[in-house]
Amino acid sequence: MRDPPVTVIVEDEPLIDLTQALTLNSKRTERLRRKHQKKMPPKLTDARQFQDLPYEIIMEILCILRPRDLFALCGVNRGFRDLILGEEARICDNIIAYRYPILARCLQRPVLMESMDQVVRQALQSPLRPETQTMYSKPFQHVQPPDNTLVCTCMTCVLRWNSLCLALDFANWQDHLDAGKPLPIIPRGTQPQWNKDLLARNATMVVESLKSPLRYIRILEMHLLAIIRSVRRHGQNKGNQRRRFQMTEEEGRMEIDAFLSRNGPPTVDFPFQRDNYYMLEAYLPNRSWIAERDEWVYLPANQHDKDVEIAMKWEAWYQKRRAEQKALEVAQEELDQKALEVAQKELDDTEAMDDLHHHFGNRQVWQKYDIAKCPTINVTEIWSHDESPVSCVESRPISSLAVDNWLDEPANKYIKADPYTRTVRLVWVGEDPATCRHSPSVRELQQLLGAWNLQSGYDYALSCYAGVAALPPQHDARIFTATYHPKLAMAWSHAVIDGVSETNLVVFAEREERKELLLALQSQWSSSFISHPMFPAFLCSLTLSQELDTTLEDIKSVVRNVEARTGHHRFSTRRQIRPAAGELGSLSAEMSGCAAKLANGTRKLKVVEALNAFMLQHAEHDPPSSTPTRTTTHAKPHPAQPPPSTILTSHLHLISQRVSMQFIDSAYVQQRVQVQIAALFHLIAQQDNAIAFETASATRSIAKDSLQDSSSMKMLALVAMFFLPGSFVAALFSAPLFEWDKAGEGMAVGTKPQFRLFWAVAVPLTVVTFGLYAMWIVMQRKRLRRRLNVGGV
């Protein structure tokens, strides 16, 4: 160690110590220093590349990068690639939480099929599931259906798949939308190669996203960029005053979906075509705005598990149904030969009547139905469930452009998590009471009739005034018609496919009849009874019977009023309010109208009787179909219910009893109407007699006055005859026809030349006058004779 410095103070200037410490070059000290340096953590300033940074800092940096930056880093070298792929799940979760928390809840990933049990796979891959039939029967033009061997096909996963594919397709066309270029139009029913390639590329990206979280967040990034561009584009459109998402330029540059949490237009409808992209601002499915809570709510993530449970229930129900069907087929084999013989005999009989049905069908008595265009069609569907005694009725309008899709809809679906089977499909023809619009158009009606083999049945129904008939079968479907002109006409086909009955019905009904039918359909009918082929005829009979009760009540009200006005009754509780002297004509017209309504009611009762007899005839006898895939057995009824034929027979007995009582009530009301008509006839006759008596008295007074006038005219004529000779002579002599100046003393008077001219003109003129009068008399007689001859003929 060196000595401490010494400072010597001089009077003029201070002394400074310039001595330095000696450097120690000990090898031991150098080794200790290097060893100590190795134990110390590296300084940041010593890092020469990104991998040299601490692991925590590297992860923090990677978790705030954009997905496209991660893909770029993966292509730098193997070290970056291994680092990112090794922590892929953690990095992607942090990026989603930072950038895409909302999009991740809207666009969730479907579940891979390989992650589920074998039993669940078999249930989901069943080709008879409603979801599977819907996916592959009518696929979208801009979304490729999922591969059921790779992706789960429950309803939730199918919607997730469609949403992800749609997000990629929406992002693909942003350049066209920004530039204002129209999107290419794909003709209906075609699929060009460029569209197939685009859909395959989108589907490949979605499948890769199911296995790689990095691919998934890349789809979220592409969709967010598309939304940002769309929001900017719609914000520049000043003419569009719809509600929009509020986004600042800074939020758009940050590429974070926080602005989507604000109140904006919710995505309600699925963009079924690319034309919807023009008005689509932000496609955010699986969420909805709750105004009461002032927040967005999202579809729960466990919805997939619920759908899998439903699919397993459906598969169990279907397997049970198949087992029951096989048991029924085995039991039916013993009766097939006899049933086929009976069916062949009936088929021969119906074929012999086929020509007659076509003959009558060519002459329609109904007014021609001519509706050129109609946007919607009113339909009603009835769904039944084996384990439920009550059916489910759904009425809704469908677009005229979606008739093909509606006809191709699967016959099975879930209602309140239970599998239901469609039993009846009904199309309403005529004016809708709610919208006062006629539907469907003639084109859609002909399409439905052709699809259901009902053209001949519909034509025959419109050729009848009233009645019910069974037409020859068409393609293993039985055809029936029921008619009541001009209020109600039905044509329906009934077939049994795979042990399940299916009834397709076309109904022409006016307002009141349609209301009654809708009320009747909403009643709690059993599922087994609806499957019977006579169920539409039963609805027609029930509707007509209920209408008759309403008609009789209206007639009774009118008759009570007329009885109170005329006083012709013996009801002690009914008093005559005032005489009907001046209203006999209107009251008589009302009674005549009531008589006409009663006659119509009698006709309606006869039609109901014919319907009941027809239904009883076909209640027990149900011939089987000729094809082996169809049987005559109905769907298995609920264990607590009797067979459909027994239910129908009991219902018909009840309606028959009501009809017999209605006959008695109708006859009673008809007698009361006839009494009032006779009373009004006598009152009108009395009134006419009184008027005739008054007229006779007035005529007698007029005759008396005429007699006095004729006497006066005779007196005047006598006076005229007394003065006429003198007047004529005075007039003749006053004329300048005589030479009065030359008259002598005698009586002789000479005449002037004008005297002969006077007679030469007067005599022919008189003759011509009397001749014209005679000709006029002759012509009048001929005309009268001709008129009498024509009247006699």
Side-chain angles (χ1 to χ4, degrees), residues 537-592:
F538 175 78
L539 289 178
C540 183
S541 175
L542 182 62
T543 300
L544 295 178
S545 177
Q546 290 178 340
E547 284 186 352
L548 184 60
D549 290 334
T550 305
T551 302
L552 288 177
E553 186 61 32
D554 295 340
I555 294 175
K556 288 179 182 179
S557 177
V558 175
V559 172
R560 293 190 196 100
N561 184 29
V562 174
E563 288 174 345
R565 302 299 303 279
T566 60
H568 287 69
H569 61 84
R570 294 290 296 169
F571 295 102
S572 59
T573 58
R574 196 170 304 153
R575 298 181 180 179
Q576 184 174 1
I577 53 179
R578 61 184 177 90
E583 302 177 3
L584 296 178
S586 61
L587 294 179
S588 178
E590 289 184 0
M591 288 296 96
S592 299

Side-chain angles (χ1 to χ4, degrees), residues 3 68 79 83 98 140 184 196 296 434 466 589 661 689 698 747:
D3 297 332
R68 59 180 180 270
L83 175 63
Y98 174 62
F140 298 110
K196 292 181 181 179
W296 294 101
M661 294 298 102
N689 290 334
M747 296 298 293

Side-chain angles (χ1 to χ4, degrees), residues 46 146 310 347 403 450 478 512 627 752:
D46 296 338
I310 294 175
L347 182 61
V403 175
R478 303 174 63 188
E512 297 299 329
T627 58
K752 293 182 179 181

Side-chain angles (χ1 to χ4, degrees), residues 134 143-144 180 218 356 455 461 468 604 686 712 714 720 732 791:
T134 303
V143 175
Q144 180 172 306
R218 175 58 180 158
L356 185 59
Q455 186 62 57
V468 60
K604 191 175 295 185
Q686 292 176 5
S712 301
K714 290 179 180 179
L732 182 62

